[in-house]
Amino acid sequence: DLETAIREEDWTQVDHQAHATNGSSANTGASGMREIASRLEQLGVDAEPAPALETLAPLKTDFNEFSRILEASTRSQDDVDG
């Protein structure tokens, strides 16, 4: 995962995963996550582990919130359809 890649200073993997997260976030309209993932991409290029770990925390928070909203929305739609 992204955190492991940062801790192991595997900057190629950090860049790859942050780039994928950036793209997925943009595709789903999660602009906050996209901005954070973009910062992580740059930190991966710069090989900066401490700032990258600090930046990862808000990404996790945003991801958990996005997942919660998506799940609630799916349940609401199931109630309407069901």
Side-chain angles (χ1 to χ4, degrees):
D1 72 349
L2 188 52
E3 184 172 3
T4 300
I6 293 168
R7 289 188 187 283
E8 292 178 356
E9 299 186 25
D10 182 348
W11 303 116
T12 300
Q13 191 64 14
V14 170
D15 180 60
H16 175 74
Q17 289 189 22
H19 183 77
T21 302
N22 188 351
S24 297
S25 299
N27 288 339
T28 59
S31 59
M33 286 176 32
R34 188 202 59 75
E35 290 173 19
I36 296 167
S38 181
R39 276 186 267 150
L40 278 170
E41 269 188 276
Q42 187 57 52
L43 291 168
V45 168
D46 296 342
E48 296 285 345
L53 284 170
E54 291 171 8
T55 303
L56 184 61
L59 180 62
K60 286 180 171 182
T61 300
D62 282 7
F63 176 79
N64 289 336
E65 180 66 12
F66 181 79
S67 296
R68 186 191 63 72
I69 291 168
L70 186 60
E71 184 176 315
S73 175
T74 302
R75 273 185 290 189
S76 294
Q77 188 60 45
D78 288 346
D79 291 344
V80 170
D81 294 340

